[in-house]
């Protein structure tokens, strides 16, 4: 299986922006874990602090789940880029949902050729013309 140019560009966009999303989500995860034990300084009621901690716990769970789904997205997209998967649909859909949406859309617009021979992207029709002086 050989991906064409659009599929390759979508794979590269998926890998780059999913990696950036992993870094950003890990940063937010560490930041939220550090703020879990802190309290809101302006509000003294216990109910608001309890709601604040519940919101932080939900954001921690969201960040962990996002990272857990972005790692297989990067791995599957790398397999598509190398031509080791039978279909490029699952990594493209994961890229749309969890990563950068444009990378997944470009990947879906590209073709994943079923031929095993290498595609020559630089072929010209002019290369077959011989130059002769008449």
């Amino acid at each position: 299986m050989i991906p064409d140019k659009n599929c390759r560009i979508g794979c590269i966009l998926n890998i780059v922006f999913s990696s950036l999303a992993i870094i950003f989500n890990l940063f937010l995860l560490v930041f939220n874990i550090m703020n879990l034990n802190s309290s809101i300084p302006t509000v003294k009621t216990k109910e608001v602090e309890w709601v604040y901690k519940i919101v932080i716990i939900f954001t921690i769970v969201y960040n962990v789940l996002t990272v857990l789904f972005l790692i297989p997205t990067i791995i599957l997209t790398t397999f598509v880029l190398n031509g080791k998967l039978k279909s490029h649909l699952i990594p493209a859909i994961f890229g749309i949902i969890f990563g950068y949406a444009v990378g997944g859309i470009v990947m879906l617009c590209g073709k994943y050729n079923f031929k095993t021979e290498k595609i020559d992207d630089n072929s010209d029709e002019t290369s077959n013309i011989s130059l002769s002086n008449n």
Side-chain angles (χ1 to χ4, degrees), residues 58-131:
F58 278 126
T59 55
I60 288 172
V61 170
Y62 172 76
N63 289 332
V64 168
L65 288 177
T66 303
V67 168
L68 288 178
F69 279 106
L70 282 172
I71 291 171
T73 303
I74 292 174
I75 292 170
L76 289 173
T77 305
T78 305
F79 285 158
V80 168
L81 195 59
N82 292 334
K84 294 181 181 178
L85 283 181
K86 291 184 180 180
S87 176
H88 68 294
L89 296 177
I90 298 297
I93 292 171
F94 273 15
I96 290 171
I97 295 172
F98 300 109
Y100 186 58
V102 174
I105 292 171
V106 171
M107 201 167 147
L108 281 176
C109 292
K111 293 181 180 175
Y112 197 50
N113 298 324
F114 294 105
K115 297 178 183 176
T116 56
E117 71 254 6
K118 180 93 175 164
I119 298 173
D120 188 18
D121 293 330
N122 298 327
S123 63
D124 266 349
E125 292 179 12
T126 57
S127 63
N128 296 333
I129 301 173
S130 62
L131 298 174

